[in-house]
């Protein structure tokens, strides 16, 4: 007979089973504990965004906590991409919780024009930083290059070449930030402008790029080249009225009837923040900056916005505005303490926006607070500056772009002293004239008329039938 074996399992097996059981119980308890605590922890996406409601400083709730405005300039690109902070939708003034989106959405949908300036206060450096981040992929970071004119005028001159923007104007910066800050429902309805100014051209181009319906109302006296250019940008161009005022009245009526947002150049915080990005770039591109000269006049948004950026970065930088002696709009407004309403200061074709009315108190207040000096120059100085830029820089610049150099040409800034192609100018002029003829933009002809009454009148009648300008 064999001796029966033990009825209980070996001691080692029992210990192993007990250990497995203990580990299992601990794991189960751990999971149960997480299930209890998990509802108390909101989801990560709930902390950052909500598609059905407004975003306030990245949190949902009726009374979100404040964010220290000084921290915004330290946020990096990764913070924006992760959705942690929606700074481009935030308006930082006396109340940190206000948003640019709130200011924009407060515009009545039936309104025929923008009212952004009435909803905004003075811009801060953080607003300009947010604008620079948001528009960086839509506008050019134009070079600020040392000029050959430096030796002639006895100072180091750097030229910020904003004419290299797609539409050739610095106003693309403010326009792009303005359009991207509009509510989505308004972007779907579209925008409308009324003029052939650089502002309208910038709206036409960037609205088309953003797939926002855009309509431009131009008077029948507008140059055909401007009309064609605006259509090539992608805008629906409508010719109406013989004056700009007629076009503006028609545009407002269309906006009210169809739900379009009527845009005109104002000094809203959104627009000025976009223009102020020029000051950021100049400070970054030019070492040991002493002074920066900007075109001024009635539309002094570039001067005001850039001054806000430059004075924040270095209060010792001198910011100077230059306007025409024929239209000293800014100087008169600063002296009066409010934007002047003189209707004689309507836009002059040669001066462009420099001769326009002062369009808002925000720009005027920023200019009076931050700009060190405003000087006026003659028309002759502006013409000489345009010639110098063409001769030395090979750049065809309008009066608004050349007026800053005109202050140096006229010797209005003596305190700044001390701080190419080879084609001759007359030959360049002949080449341009020949090219305009070949491009069917200029027709040159000669004819002999008899010395008979009425022959000149007949010639003019023929030219008028051909719509010759």
């Amino acid at each position: 007979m064999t001796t029966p074996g033990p009825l209980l399992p070996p001691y080692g097996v029992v210990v192993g089973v007990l250990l497995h059981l203990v580990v299992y119980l601990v794991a189960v308890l751990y999971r149960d504990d997480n299930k209890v605590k998990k509802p108390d922890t909101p989801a990560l996406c709930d902390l950052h965004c909500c598609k059905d409601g407004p975003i306030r400083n990245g949190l949902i709730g009726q009374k979100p906590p404040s964010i220290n405005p000084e921290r915004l300039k330290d946020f990096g690109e990764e913070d924006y991409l992760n959705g942690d902070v929606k700074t481009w939708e935030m308006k930082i003034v006396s109340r940190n919780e206000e948003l640019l989106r709130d200011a924009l959405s407060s515009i009545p949908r039936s309104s025929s024009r923008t009212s952004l300036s009435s909803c905004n206060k003075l811009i801060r450096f953080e607003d300009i930083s947010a604008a620079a981040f948001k528009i960086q992929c839509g506008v050019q970071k134009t070079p600020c290059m040392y000029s050959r004119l430096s030796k002639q005028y006895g100072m180091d001159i750097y030229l910020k070449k904003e004419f290299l923007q797609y539409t050739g104007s610095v106003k693309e910066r403010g326009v792009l930030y303005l359009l991207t800050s509009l509510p989505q429902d308004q972007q779907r309805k579209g925008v409308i402008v009324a003029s052939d100014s650089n502002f309208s051209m910038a709206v036409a181009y960037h609205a088309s790029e953003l797939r926002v319906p855009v309509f431009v109302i131009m008077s029948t006296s507008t140059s055909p080249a401007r009309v064609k250019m605006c259509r090539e940008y992608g805008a629906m161009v409508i010719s109406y009225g013989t004056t700009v005022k007629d076009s503006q009245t028609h545009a407002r009526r269309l906006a009210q009837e169809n739900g379009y947002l009527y845009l005109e150049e104002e000094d809203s915080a959104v627009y000025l923040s976009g223009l102020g990005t020029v000051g950021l770039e100049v400070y970054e591109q030019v070492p040991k900056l002493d002074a920066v000269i900007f075109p001024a006049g009635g539309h002094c948004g570039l001067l005001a916005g850039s001054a806000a950026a430059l004075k924040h970065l270095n209060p010792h930088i001198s910011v100077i505005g230059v306007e025409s002696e024929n239209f000293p709009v800014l100087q008169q407004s600063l002296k009066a303490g409010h934007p002047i309403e003189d209707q004689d200061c309507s836009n002059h074709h040669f001066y462009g926006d420099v001769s326009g009315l002062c369009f808002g108190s925000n720009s005027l207040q920023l200019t009076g607070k931050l700009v060190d000096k405003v000087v006026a120059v003659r028309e002759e100085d502006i013409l000489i500056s345009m010639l110098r830029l063409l001769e030395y820089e090979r750049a065809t610049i309008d009066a608004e772009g050349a007026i800053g150099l005109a202050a140096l040409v006229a010797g209005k800034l003596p305190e700044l002293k001390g701080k190419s192609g080879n084609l001759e100018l007359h030959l360049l002029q002949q080449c341009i004239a020949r090219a305009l003829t070949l491009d069917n933009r200029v027709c040159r002809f000669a004819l002999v008329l008899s010395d008979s009454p009425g022959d000149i009148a007949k010639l003019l009648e023929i030219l008028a039938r051909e719509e010759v300008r």
Side-chain angles (χ1 to χ4, degrees):
M1 294 180 63
T2 59
T3 304
L7 297 177
L8 295 176
Y11 177 76
V13 175
V14 174
V15 174
V17 171
L18 290 176
L19 288 175
H20 281 287
L21 181 60
V22 171
V23 172
Y24 175 77
L25 289 175
V26 171
V28 170
L29 290 174
Y30 181 78
R31 286 200 298 268
D32 292 341
D33 185 62
N34 282 346
K35 289 181 180 178
V36 173
K37 293 182 178 180
K38 190 173 182 179
D40 297 333
T41 306
L44 181 61
C45 61
D46 293 338
L47 291 175
H48 299 309
C49 61
C50 178
K51 295 182 180 178
D52 299 328
I55 300 173
R56 289 186 175 275
N57 291 348
L59 296 174
I60 297 176
Q62 296 181 351
K63 191 175 181 181
S66 301
I67 284 183
N68 183 4
E70 297 302 322
R71 285 191 59 230
L72 293 180
K73 59 178 177 288
D74 299 324
F75 289 153
E77 181 176 352
E78 184 178 356
D79 296 320
Y80 289 92
L81 297 179
N82 291 337
D84 293 332
V85 178
K86 300 288 185 181
T87 54
W88 54 81
E89 296 173 353
M90 181 183 302
K91 174 192 168 189
I92 303 172
V93 286
S94 57
R95 292 180 56 198
N96 299 336
E97 294 81 15
E98 291 180 35
L99 301 180
L100 291 178
R101 173 182 289 182
D102 294 342
L104 290 165
S105 62
S106 64
I107 303 169
R109 292 295 178 261
S110 61
S111 175
S112 61
R113 62 167 292 173
T114 54
S115 302
L116 300 177
S117 59
S118 62
C119 302
N120 291 278
K121 304 298 182 183
L122 295 181
I123 62 173
R124 293 171 58 96
F125 178 76
E126 290 78 11
D127 301 321
I128 302 173
S129 300
F133 178 82
K134 194 168 187 182
I135 69 174
Q136 63 180 335
C137 295
V139 297
Q140 295 289 332
K141 185 176 181 179
T142 56
C144 191
M145 302 177 63
Y146 183 79
S147 174
R148 292 167 54 197
L149 292 165
S150 300
K151 295 181 179 180
Q152 182 170 351
Y153 294 102
M155 64 189 76
D156 290 338
I157 299 175
Y158 291 79
L159 300 177
K160 181 68 170 168
K161 300 189 176 182
E162 282 296 299
F163 62 86
L164 295 179
Q165 300 290 355
Y166 192 86
T167 64
S169 172
V170 67
K171 296 183 180 179
E172 286 191 29
R173 297 171 178 268
V175 165
L176 179 57
Y177 192 43
L178 177 62
L179 291 173
T180 54
S181 300
L182 294 177
Q184 290 187 359
D185 60 337
Q186 188 60 64
Q187 291 184 9
R188 287 191 294 268
K189 291 178 182 178
V191 297
I192 187 169
V193 292
S195 73
D196 64 338
S197 64
N198 291 333
F199 177 82
S200 296
M201 292 295 174
V203 172
Y205 170 66
H206 283 289
S208 300
E209 289 293 302
L210 295 172
R211 300 187 183 279
V212 175
V214 54
F215 304 87
V216 180
I217 313 299
M218 293 184 175
S219 64
T220 55
S221 60
T222 303
S223 167
R226 299 286 284 183
V227 175
K228 179 182 178 183
M229 185 183 304
C230 194
R231 284 179 176 148
E232 289 175 349
Y233 289 153
M236 172 68 72
V237 180
I238 301 173
S239 296
Y240 183 91
T242 57
T243 64
V244 175
K245 188 175 181 180
D246 294 337
S247 302
Q248 292 174 344
T249 302
H250 186 59
R252 289 191 179 97
R253 183 168 63 250
L254 291 177
Q256 190 169 11
E257 293 174 354
N258 299 280
Y260 308 138
L261 182 62
Y262 175 68
L263 294 177
E264 60 182 358
E265 194 170 8
E266 293 184 318
D267 64 344
S268 65
V270 188
Y271 184 66
L272 292 182
S273 298
L275 293 177
T277 58
V278 174
L280 288 179
E281 292 184 9
V282 170
Y283 183 83
E284 176 187 344
Q285 293 169 320
V286 180
K288 298 179 181 180
L289 195 60
D290 293 317
V292 186
I293 307 173
F294 293 99
H299 291 193
C300 56
L302 174 62
L303 171 65
S306 298
L310 290 167
K311 288 295 186 178
H312 177 90
L313 294 167
N314 185 354
H316 300 292
I317 295 176
S318 179
V319 179
I320 302 168
V322 185
E323 61 182 350
S324 169
E325 284 184 353
N326 297 333
F327 303 96
V329 184
L330 182 56
Q331 289 180 327
Q332 293 177 6
S333 298
L334 289 172
K335 185 177 181 180
H338 58 81
I340 62 169
E341 301 293 341
D342 187 2
Q343 296 299 322
D344 292 335
C345 295
S346 58
N347 284 43
H348 189 279
H349 181 69
F350 173 72
Y351 292 100
D353 292 336
V354 174
S355 63
L357 290 170
C358 193
F359 60 56
S361 58
N362 285 349
S363 297
L364 191 63
Q365 189 174 351
L366 279 170
T367 301
K369 180 180 179 181
L370 301 176
V371 174
D372 299 280
K373 189 176 184 180
V374 178
V375 299
V377 294
R378 302 176 305 159
E379 181 176 316
E380 293 82 356
D381 299 322
I382 300 174
L383 291 171
I384 292 296
S385 300
M386 296 170 67
L387 178 63
R388 293 287 183 267
L389 290 169
L390 179 61
E391 191 172 13
Y392 283 82
E393 299 293 331
R394 292 298 180 258
T396 306
I397 307 299
D398 58 11
E400 187 176 1
I403 197 169
L405 179 62
L408 301 180
V409 172
K412 292 295 184 73
L413 302 173
E415 67 272 18
L416 299 184
K417 284 195 174 182
K419 299 186 175 179
S420 103
N422 297 319
L423 191 62
E424 293 186 5
L425 192 61
H426 69 89
L427 181 57
L428 177 62
Q429 183 179 10
Q430 295 178 13
C431 293
I432 292 175
R434 177 63 175 160
L436 290 173
T437 304
L438 294 173
D439 198 34
N440 297 321
R441 298 170 66 177
V442 174
C443 179
R444 300 177 183 275
F445 63 93
L447 72 161
V448 178
L449 293 177
S450 61
D451 190 14
S452 301
D455 282 357
I456 295 180
K458 291 178 182 178
L459 173 62
L460 295 177
E461 182 181 353
I462 295 172
L463 295 177
R465 285 202 305 265
E466 297 296 328
E467 298 183 350
V468 173
R469 296 175 182 268

